[in-house]
Amino acid sequence: TTTTTTTHNNIRRYFYRRASSSSATMMRNKKMISIKVCASNKNDNQIVEDKLKPDWAGDDILSKAVDAAISNKFLYEVIMKPMARKTLIDTAEKNGIKWREVAEELQKDERLQTKFKEIENSSIEYPEYYLKPFHAYTEGNLCWLAACEAESATYSMALRVYPKERITAIDAQQRLRDSYTEALRDHREKYNNTNVEPEVIVDIGCSVGMSTRYISRQFPSAKTIGIDLSPHMLAVASLRDEQETDSSKRVWIHGKGEDTKMADNSVDVVSLAFVIHECPESATDALMKEAFRILRPGGTFIMTDNNPQSAVIQNLPPALFTLMKSTEPHSNEYYTIDIVNMLKANGFEHAHQEQTDPRHRTALASKPL
């Protein structure tokens, strides 16, 4: 055990030096643009105005060094993947999130299998990108462990947004979601002032339903539909919703966000919360096209995810951004696409984005009337 630990530590130090060296080389050999940090109008979240993405994503030298390390099977399987899981779980449990306990209880709940059978659409052909390992799970989102740990991972993610504040995981989650739904309401009040309250909301990539419940409760008169490619995640979402008094307002569908099977011009809001960073650029484009098709004229597209211009994201230390990239196979594409221009190219108007918390941006747009 001592020998193994020593080996792991040596490799970790070696890679850290390689990543740091690549970053230093890039700084020496490339004329760097000046970086301006400013506060957004809505709050004190800092963004880097003159730098569109972090150096560890895309085609930069540092990014390629990280990608080379991730592609090394030994480094990935023996060190990065276990480290990523350990870091996530240990950090969560130190902050009072009962990660292992909750996952174990859910995995033992026999009702999940019943929910799974009720929800699963066995005719679905999964897109190739969805079958890759995600979040240190070999089977990605198509396994029970991922589904049973998703709630704890989501609460932990919210706490990381506010690291210097003494708030509970529940309060952090509420604050994170409130900033998103407030941006949606502001947009609809500005561009849908005669019809602010939506009748039908579709939450694409709804996972275990946390985003779906939050947006549903902010617009309680709406029917809210949660769609996800993972029947495991949806089984947890449905099970959790049984405990809620307003569960009749929500429906869970096992389906593709790129091909919802919904009618043209049939919904008022299409929401994607923390979904697009898990998609290649082609899938993101397809999701926007499908959203445009099913939205009614005047309907709203909204998404939230990591902000490539966030000062927090751009300044992550090598150990953290390496672990993050190792569990997110489409990071390079996500951090280099222009979401607002892609929305405009797909026919949307009033497309814009805003920093809604220190790490994340929310992009919104409308289907023309």
Side-chain angles (χ1 to χ4, degrees):
T1 303
T2 302
T3 303
T4 303
T5 301
T6 302
T7 302
H8 284 192
N9 287 337
N10 287 338
I11 294 173
R12 288 170 64 186
R13 284 195 292 271
Y14 167 76
F15 180 73
Y16 189 93
R17 287 196 300 270
R18 284 289 302 273
S20 299
S21 174
S22 297
S23 180
T25 301
M26 179 177 62
M27 292 287 287
R28 287 194 302 269
N29 297 341
K30 181 179 176 184
K31 182 179 179 182
M32 301 301 292
I33 59 175
S34 63
I35 298 175
K36 252 190 218 175
V37 178
C38 75
S40 72
N41 292 330
K42 194 167 184 177
N43 48 43
D44 293 328
N45 302 326
Q46 290 189 324
I47 62 171
V48 183
E49 275 192 334
D50 299 333
K51 193 175 180 186
L52 298 179
K53 66 170 188 64
D55 294 328
W56 46 263
D59 293 327
D60 290 353
I61 294 172
L62 179 59
S63 176
K64 289 179 179 179
V66 174
D67 292 344
I70 293 170
S71 67
N72 182 300
K73 190 172 182 180
F74 175 80
L75 283 174
Y76 176 73
E77 292 291 343
V78 178
I79 297 177
M80 292 182 187
K81 190 162 74 170
M83 277 179 62
R85 276 190 58 74
K86 179 174 173 51
T87 299
L88 285 170
I89 295 171
D90 287 354
T91 302
E93 293 188 338
K94 284 178 184 176
N95 285 293
I97 298 168
K98 298 179 179 180
W99 184 301
R100 293 179 179 88
E101 183 179 324
V102 170
E104 186 177 346
E105 286 177 1
L106 274 172
Q107 286 178 300
K108 291 178 179 178
D109 196 323
E110 296 178 356
R111 294 173 296 171
L112 275 182
Q113 291 295 337
T114 302
K115 292 290 185 184
F116 182 92
K117 291 174 183 176
E118 292 172 354
I119 287 172
E120 185 188 25
N121 177 359
S122 58
S123 67
I124 280 185
E125 293 184 11
Y126 293 101
E128 183 273 334
Y129 74 85
Y130 197 74
L131 299 174
K132 291 185 177 182
F134 277 99
H135 303 154
Y137 302 109
T138 302
E139 297 170 283
N141 292 327
L142 294 171
C143 66
W144 283 117
L145 185 59
C148 292
E149 291 184 339
E151 288 177 328
S152 295
T154 304
Y155 279 119
S156 184
M157 177 270 290
L159 277 174
R160 287 197 299 276
V161 175
Y162 313 105
K164 296 179 181 179
E165 300 185 36
R166 293 186 176 182
I167 56 176
T168 67
I170 292 174
D171 288 341
Q173 190 67 216
Q174 182 75 50
R175 189 166 162 185
L176 182 75
R177 302 295 176 174
D178 283 350
S179 66
Y180 180 64
T181 54
E182 285 169 9
L184 174 58
R185 184 169 289 281
D186 288 347
H187 185 91
R188 289 190 64 81
E189 286 177 351
K190 185 173 182 178
Y191 299 111
N192 304 77
N193 55 9
T194 60
N195 186 27
V196 174
E197 298 298 321
E199 295 178 11
V200 181
I201 299 170
V202 178
D203 187 27
I204 292 175
C206 69
S207 182
V208 292
M210 295 174 74
S211 60
T212 318
R213 278 188 286 275
Y214 272 97
I215 199 168
S216 171
R217 285 167 180 160
Q218 289 300 312
F219 298 94
S221 63
K223 173 185 178 182
T224 304
I225 302 165
I227 297 180
D228 202 273
L229 270 167
S230 171
H232 306 78
M233 298 283 184
L234 290 166
V236 173
S238 181
L239 180 66
R240 291 304 199 207
D241 223 27
E242 278 187 350
Q243 306 165 15
E244 307 296 333
T245 57
D246 59 346
S247 61
S248 62
K249 298 178 182 293
R250 293 178 289 277
V251 178
W252 310 101
I253 295 177
H254 182 207
K256 293 182 186 178
E258 306 97 312
D259 182 18
T260 62
K261 310 298 183 186
M262 294 180 178
D264 293 356
N265 308 311
S266 60
V267 307
D268 302 291
V269 173
V270 172
S271 169
L272 294 98
F274 307 106
V275 173
I276 292 180
H277 74 277
E278 297 184 0
C279 301
E281 184 174 351
S282 58
T284 299
D285 187 66
L287 287 165
M288 289 183 183
K289 283 180 167 59
E290 179 68 356
F292 190 88
R293 182 186 72 79
I294 65 175
L295 280 168
R296 295 184 178 119
T300 307
F301 174 97
I302 180 170
M303 61 77 66
T304 193
D305 219 314
N306 287 345
N307 187 356
Q309 288 186 275
S310 159
V312 175
I313 295 295
Q314 292 209 4
N315 294 315
L316 287 174
L320 287 183
F321 66 63
T322 301
L323 290 180
M324 186 165 76
K325 280 195 85 174
S326 74
T327 66
E328 303 286 3
H330 304 295
S331 288
N332 285 334
E333 290 182 75
Y334 171 73
Y335 285 102
T336 54
I337 59 175
D338 187 328
I339 294 293
V340 171
N341 280 335
M342 187 179 282
L343 284 165
K344 292 176 180 177
N346 278 295
F348 287 95
E349 63 181 8
H350 310 311
H352 69 282
Q353 69 177 35
E354 56 191 83
Q355 176 109 340
T356 40
D357 66 57
R359 283 176 174 256
H360 305 117
R361 47 99 179 263
T362 296
L364 302 104
S366 300
K367 183 173 178 175
L369 290 168

